[in-house]
Amino acid sequence: SESGEFAARQWNLQLFRAWREAYQRFTLQIWLNVLLNIALFVPLGFLLPLLSKLFRKWYATLSAGFVVSLLIELTQLLTARGMCDVDDLFTNTLGAMLGWCAAMFVLALHQKSRAWPRYCALPAAFALALSAIFTSYAAQPYGNLRDASVITADLSGVRWSVDFALDENRTTVWVYQAQALDNAGADRFAAEFAAAHGVEFPNVDYYDDTALYMDHSTGDFLNITLHDGTWEYWISDSIAPVLDVPPQDVSEEFLRETLDNFGFSVPADTAFTLSPYGETSYRAVFSADLLPTEGGFLHGTLTCVLDAQDDGKAELSRLENRITALAPVREEPILSPAQALAALQAGKSFDGAWFAQSAQQIEVRSCTLDYLSDSKGFYQPVYRFELSLSGQSGGITDAVDYVPALF
């Protein structure tokens, strides 16, 4: 955590929230955050009964693990470093008891005691619970929408304004799947990408669902998302295309030609928008909305970040290609738009918790069907709401929120 002026006291008092978030996102790193909090206290629970007979009583070790973890969490709260988390308190204490079970099992075997089976109960229950979690996830036909909230927000104090009618009839739509890459496939893509643009990526890292290719000396960075093959590229100044017009004057045809010369062909029939992005940059977006292609559809956005230079010209500094090829998998029933609005107002959207803290009035401007990728590489239907938020301090903030559509 940051110190000094950036320090802030943070806490979570919702038990098992970390577990629900780990299940929702289902990545290796987020599960490690949970499991390593357990493993952290296993040595404490193992050593205490070996050092003192007092701690061979289960309640003594449980109390010791609880108190030590509580002191850590309170220290984090008082010093504003890290988060005071009731989930950490639970997982640390569980780790201490797992360590105690292991030590008592070893002692029972050493003393040739017939009591050893009782020390297997907690580890067996823990292993069974973990197996049930991972088995239930594997049995799901689709993955989880990783950005979806794991809690229901309390929006009872928010006033809503909806000036248009929403259809109350449910229908069915297709669920799609993208072509995933493994690490080797991402390496091949990065090698071809580097060769095509005359760059090198001497540093490579793999983090959960992302392969990171880097050249810190030049500033070329390529991030590839494995589950759908999309990517993001930060372009070094040495090869970044420069357009002979200011960012706000870049036309669709001119940008298409520039991208084509740079080695990126934008799919035909994509929609084009250009909007401010920060103080001196603009963002040009090509959007593909399930455009038919051979064997499936193209869906997503290609975003170009255009930075203003001192001479008034625009430099293409970053490309974010989220257009991916999708193949239809199965037709599924979905909520009606009216039901999706009801879910939004009930706090069951992606960003409901943020609205509960920052908005007093919300105007719903539009509701459209969109698709987002899930944790298994499927593209699920979601309802996309464009909103205007009014808070206590006045002013209006535009926002976009999503509600899962699968029924």
Side-chain angles (χ1 to χ4, degrees):
S1 297
E2 297 288 350
S3 60
E5 60 180 311
F6 297 104
R9 290 181 175 88
Q10 302 177 67
W11 58 85
N12 167 49
L13 301 180
Q14 299 182 32
L15 186 60
F16 299 126
R17 178 171 180 172
W19 293 77
R20 295 197 298 270
E21 289 177 346
Y23 188 87
Q24 185 71 30
R25 299 179 186 178
F26 227 93
T27 67
L28 174 62
Q29 189 60 47
I30 196 168
W31 271 115
L32 284 177
N33 292 339
V34 174
L35 298 178
L36 289 178
N37 266 317
I38 297 173
L40 180 67
F41 268 56
V42 169
L44 176 68
F46 186 86
L47 291 173
L48 286 178
L50 300 181
L51 295 174
S52 171
K53 291 184 178 180
L54 169 66
F55 292 105
R56 294 182 186 180
K57 303 294 185 180
W58 67 268
Y59 50 82
T61 298
L62 185 145
S63 299
F66 181 86
V67 170
V68 172
S69 179
L70 181 61
L71 289 174
I72 293 173
E73 298 307 312
L74 291 178
T75 300
Q76 291 183 117
L77 178 64
L78 295 175
T79 61
R81 289 183 175 270
M83 175 180 287
C84 178
D85 195 338
V86 69
D87 275 329
D88 289 351
L89 190 60
F90 170 78
T91 52
N92 292 162
T93 307
L94 174 60
M97 291 308 298
L98 289 172
W100 178 85
C101 288
M104 296 305 294
F105 177 80
V106 171
L107 288 173
L109 291 181
H110 179 71
Q111 297 169 359
K112 298 182 180 179
S113 170
R114 295 183 178 181
W116 65 264
R118 72 178 65 171
Y119 305 121
C120 300
L122 180 61
F126 175 66
L128 185 62
L130 273 186
S131 298
I133 291 172
F134 283 81
T135 300
S136 66
Y137 176 79
Q140 292 179 181
Y142 309 116
N144 302 325
L145 295 169
R146 288 174 170 161
D147 291 331
S149 177
V150 297
I151 62 173
T152 299
D154 181 9
L155 299 181
S156 57
V158 174
R159 299 188 303 274
W160 293 86
S161 173
V162 186
D163 296 331
F164 58 94
L166 287 95
D167 189 357
E168 297 184 359
N169 297 318
R170 294 203 302 265
T171 186
T172 60
V173 298
W174 284 93
V175 174
Y176 300 90
Q177 187 167 29
Q179 186 173 358
L181 295 174
D182 56 14
N183 289 348
D187 289 345
R188 288 192 296 270
F189 178 88
E192 295 171 358
F193 189 101
H197 295 88
V199 297
E200 296 181 352
F201 298 117
N203 303 111
V204 181
D205 192 15
Y206 305 99
Y207 186 87
D208 278 343
D209 192 42
T210 307
L212 312 173
Y213 301 88
M214 301 161 282
D215 188 341
H216 295 282
S217 63
T218 64
D220 289 284
F221 298 93
L222 175 67
N223 295 349
I224 302 175
T225 305
L226 299 179
H227 73 257
D228 60 5
T230 59
W231 49 266
E232 191 170 7
Y233 179 41
W234 284 262
I235 311 171
S236 62
D237 291 337
S238 60
I239 64 170
V242 176
L243 290 72
D244 292 328
V245 294
Q248 65 270 23
D249 294 336
V250 173
S251 66
E252 177 181 357
E253 293 74 19
F254 189 22
L255 187 55
R256 280 181 179 271
E257 181 181 353
T258 301
L259 290 171
D260 191 59
N261 293 335
F262 195 50
F264 300 102
S265 296
V266 181
D269 300 325
T270 53
F272 177 78
T273 58
L274 182 67
S275 58
Y277 181 61
E279 296 183 358
T280 61
S281 300
Y282 274 72
R283 183 165 52 186
V285 180
F286 295 91
S287 302
D289 186 10
L290 293 177
L291 298 178
T293 187
E294 184 178 354
F297 301 87
L298 293 178
H299 186 78
T301 58
L302 172 64
T303 301
C304 310
V305 177
L306 303 168
D307 295 334
Q309 294 187 311
D310 294 337
D311 57 5
K313 298 180 180 180
E315 179 183 271
L316 178 61
S317 63
R318 181 160 62 91
L319 287 172
E320 183 180 347
N321 180 34
R322 301 302 175 193
I323 297 178
T324 186
L326 302 179
V329 175
R330 189 180 298 114
E331 200 169 7
E332 299 282 6
I334 62 171
L335 300 174
S336 69
Q339 289 175 314
L341 175 62
L344 174 74
Q345 294 173 326
K348 298 179 181 179
S349 65
F350 283 24
D351 293 323
W354 176 54
F355 298 156
Q357 297 178 358
S358 59
Q360 287 187 314
Q361 182 170 344
I362 300 178
E363 177 189 357
V364 181
R365 300 205 312 265
S366 68
C367 172
T368 55
L369 192 67
D370 200 352
Y371 284 85
L372 293 177
S373 61
D374 68 20
S375 55
K376 290 187 178 181
F378 294 98
Y379 272 66
Q380 294 187 24
V382 295
Y383 282 103
R384 183 180 190 271
F385 289 92
E386 294 190 3
L387 311 169
S388 291
L389 314 180
S390 299
Q392 294 180 347
S393 59
I396 296 176
T397 301
D398 293 333
V400 173
D401 199 7
Y402 296 92
V403 170
L406 287 182
F407 183 70

